[in-house]
Amino acid sequence: MKCIVNGEPRELPDGTSVEGLIEILGMSDAICAAEVEKKLVPKRERVSCILFDGQRVEIVTLIGGGFLITTNNVIIQNIRYRGGSE
């Protein structure tokens, strides 16, 4: 089947789950977020969320400096964290 992963067409085995895609991308050890058809997939649902032909999937992770980055190394947002009181 073919899905759009981070904006790029990608051939995947039938029955691939979101968790399986994360493994295929080599991101199993990374802290990442997954979105299918613009809906966030909670970590606890990644194994049971099966992908279908034509679906759009975004997998993003954080890199140093607070940048949100896709698996094809496109920086999509610079996030800043605040701690403590102001």
Side-chain angles (χ1 to χ4, degrees), residues 7-84:
E8 301 288 329
R10 186 173 190 116
E11 196 68 36
L12 299 171
D14 288 345
T16 298
S17 66
V18 170
E19 187 67 28
L21 174 59
I22 290 169
E23 290 173 14
I24 290 168
L25 296 173
M27 297 179 66
S28 295
D29 295 331
I31 297 172
C32 59
E35 188 179 89
V36 177
E37 297 296 335
K38 299 187 178 188
K39 293 181 183 170
L40 184 66
V41 178
K43 187 172 184 174
R44 67 184 174 278
E45 295 177 17
R46 290 179 186 173
V47 171
S48 62
C49 183
I50 304 301
L51 299 172
F52 295 97
D53 190 58
Q55 284 189 308
R56 299 182 82 71
V57 184
E58 294 291 327
I59 307 291
V60 295
T61 189
L62 295 174
I63 60 170
F67 290 96
L68 192 60
I69 188 167
T70 66
T71 56
N72 54 355
N73 295 322
V74 175
I75 295 173
I76 56 175
Q77 186 176 4
N78 182 0
I79 343 180
R80 303 232 183 248
Y81 292 96
R82 288 182 157 162

